[in-house]
Amino acid sequence: MQSVMQFIVSVFTAASLHSADLPPAGLPLPHPVPGGVALVDLGNGTEAPQATFNGKAVMVRKDATQNHWQAVVGIPLKQAPGEAFVAAGGQHYPFAIRDKAYPEQHLTVKNKHVNPNEEQLNRIRSEFARMGKVYTSFTDGQPWQPMMWPAEGPLSSAFGLKRFFNGEQRNPHSGLDIAAPAGSNIRAPSAGTVVLTGDFYFNGNSVFLDHGHGLISMFCHMQGITVQEGDQVQAGDLLGTVGATGRATGPHLHWTVSLNNARINPLLMLAHPGEAEFSQRFTATAGAEHE
Ligand SMILES: [Zn+2]
């Protein structure tokens, strides 16, 4: 068992640059793949530069160890691997996006949510517009903080899976599923503002938190919601309970994390990696990724 853990830890260490002595303030973990996060050095100017990636504003912060400005860039799952750049102050700062092959997942869903009718499509379009407004917002907010787990339970579906519903390819899994029992607590993973709540066609009862600087969390399939739009929450505050509303095959929390409108792997933002996270990262890394 010990050797297995050592192997997992060594894989984990190889996947991140400074994980051995990384302070919590050093998060998120750099993982420049589609669905990951790139940390791009922007130099040591006196003022925080305004930076963009794909024309969208990105989070900028001071790197504690080098005292340089650093862009924290969410990379969309659909981004092509290869050379990319952050634009700031009229300059281009290049970085490399590595390839990553996410595994496939085939699901059989025996309900109305697979092929919606025209009325349902109209509802879905209006919901996408409301969600898009949240995902593309960029607020000052509070200083960004590493995240805690929003629910207790095993991880039942990894981030990034290529999904097939009843044999038809659909959008990849853009969040992380935590198999917690119905009625168990969902807590804010870090401080933020409740910017949207509602009952959504696919996602069921959902809460959106704006953590500031383009970092947004979404919690789906909830049984009950105990917060309201406009509420300010701290890490650990109750948001509601786990359920199976919307397109869900059973009770679980689907947690999406979005950075500069790119859905990224929530594991990269967690402050205290647990064993489940190590094994999850191990599964996602082994044989599926190359430099
Ligand atoms: Zn999910």
Side-chain angles (χ1 to χ4, degrees):
M1 188 60 201
Q2 196 190 358
S3 64
V4 170
M5 270 314 289
Q6 277 171 352
F7 180 53
I8 290 170
V9 169
S10 69
V11 168
F12 179 80
T13 305
S16 59
L17 293 176
H18 312 290
S19 63
D21 53 358
L22 199 68
L27 289 164
L29 299 174
H31 193 53
V33 300
V37 175
L39 303 179
V40 182
D41 193 319
L42 302 179
N44 60 353
T46 47
E47 286 185 27
Q50 293 198 330
T52 59
F53 172 62
N54 287 348
K56 300 183 185 90
V58 295
M59 182 186 288
V60 172
R61 60 152 188 205
K62 204 71 172 265
D63 172 47
T65 50
Q66 297 187 16
N67 209 30
H68 277 207
W69 297 107
Q70 191 177 55
V72 182
V73 183
I75 305 170
L77 275 166
K78 288 179 179 164
Q79 180 83 28
E83 185 93 332
F85 65 87
V86 168
Q91 290 196 55
H92 285 181
Y93 296 85
F95 65 100
I97 298 174
R98 306 198 311 258
D99 198 5
K100 182 172 174 69
Y102 289 98
E104 291 186 0
Q105 184 184 42
H106 293 261
L107 295 170
T108 304
V109 186
K110 290 179 188 169
N111 68 22
K112 61 191 168 73
H113 290 98
V114 175
N115 289 306
N117 63 30
E118 192 57 36
E119 187 186 331
Q120 290 162 331
L121 282 171
N122 284 334
R123 176 183 165 187
I124 291 163
R125 283 188 204 104
S126 106
E127 290 175 356
F128 266 63
R130 288 163 71 204
M131 292 191 283
K133 206 173 155 196
V134 170
Y135 281 133
T136 53
S137 62
F138 195 90
T139 59
D140 283 342
Q142 311 183 34
W144 175 75
Q145 304 228 314
M147 292 181 165
M148 53 177 271
W149 289 100
E152 299 293 328
L155 306 183
S156 52
S157 264
F159 171 86
L161 294 173
K162 290 177 188 163
R163 286 201 141 164
F164 297 80
F165 286 100
N166 302 344
E168 290 180 40
Q169 185 161 13
R170 297 297 166 100
N171 285 330
H173 190 224
S174 57
L176 184 66
D177 288 353
I178 303 173
S184 56
N185 289 333
I186 300 171
R187 298 187 178 279
S190 69
T193 305
V194 178
V195 287
L196 180 62
T197 67
D199 175 15
F200 293 81
Y201 182 78
F202 290 118
N203 295 332
N205 291 326
S206 303
V207 169
F208 291 74
L209 283 186
D210 183 349
H211 303 288
H213 310 271
L215 181 63
I216 313 289
S217 273
M218 172 176 73
F219 309 88
C220 302
H221 310 306
M222 296 168 71
Q223 187 176 77
I225 296 175
T226 55
V227 289
Q228 294 184 330
E229 291 176 16
D231 285 355
Q232 306 281 331
V233 297
Q234 300 302 318
D237 283 357
L238 190 66
L239 302 176
T241 50
V242 172
T245 54
R247 187 174 68 184
T249 50
H252 71 282
L253 171 63
H254 171 103
W255 176 31
T256 289
V257 174
S258 178
L259 187 58
N260 50 268
N261 197 28
R263 312 309 171 249
I264 59 168
N265 190 338
L267 295 181
L268 300 173
M269 311 304 271
L270 287 169
H272 303 291
E275 192 170 344
E277 181 185 353
F278 281 122
S279 61
Q280 187 75 11
R281 283 184 61 92
F282 171 68
T283 307
T285 304
E289 195 182 331
H290 45 95
E291 301 288 328

